[in-house]
Amino acid sequence: MAVTTCVLCNTHLESHAHIFFECLFSRAIWTQLMNICGSPWNGLCWNAFIDWAYTHWRGNSPGIVANKLCLGVVVYHIWRERNCRIFEGSQKTSLVFARSINDTIRCRLSSFNLKKHPIIDLNWNVNSS
Ligand SMILES: [Zn+2]
């Protein structure tokens, strides 16, 4: 496998650890979304973050469900953005990228049958019931 430069920042070598958690492009998204999740970004690497999330995001309360959803959506969108840049030659600005992630999370939360929760209602701008 050829070593390539990260297409998200164009400054570092690409690796899973870099793309998803170390890249400045990804870190900006994590910082923004983790604040919405109520847990300021801790700057952990992939394995440490998964361990942290496993410990702190236990259960199925509406806030925890939203946080778990956020994790999956962010990872998916970072990977998708990387592939769009490589295979389609298109790229989103960080603002459009962040908006796309927020829209996906809000849309998914709207489809869930969650009990009323202030994080979901206020931070994600979704009217839970
Ligand atoms: Zn990068």
Side-chain angles (χ1 to χ4, degrees), residues 27 41 49 51 54 60 65 71 86 114-116 128-129:
R27 282 180 174 257
W41 175 239
F49 180 76
D51 287 344
Y54 182 77
N60 292 313
V65 169
L71 172 62
I86 292 173
L114 298 173
K115 294 179 181 172
K116 192 163 187 62
S128 60
S129 55

Side-chain angles (χ1 to χ4, degrees), residues 6-13 18-19 22-25:
C6 171
V7 294
L8 301 176
C9 67
N10 293 313
T11 59
H12 290 81
L13 294 180
H18 174 77
I19 292 170
E22 297 168 1
C23 184
L24 291 179
F25 180 87

Side-chain angles (χ1 to χ4, degrees), residues 29-78:
I29 296 300
W30 283 117
T31 299
Q32 177 186 346
L33 293 177
M34 289 300 288
N35 282 333
I36 294 173
C37 288
S39 302
W41 175 239
N42 48 30
L44 297 173
C45 67
W46 173 271
N47 287 337
F49 180 76
I50 296 302
D51 287 344
W52 178 89
Y54 182 77
T55 301
H56 291 84
W57 294 348
R58 288 184 168 266
N60 292 313
S61 70
I64 296 298
V65 169
N67 292 353
K68 292 175 182 174
L69 173 65
C70 180
L71 172 62
V73 169
V74 171
V75 168
Y76 169 76
H77 276 263
I78 288 172

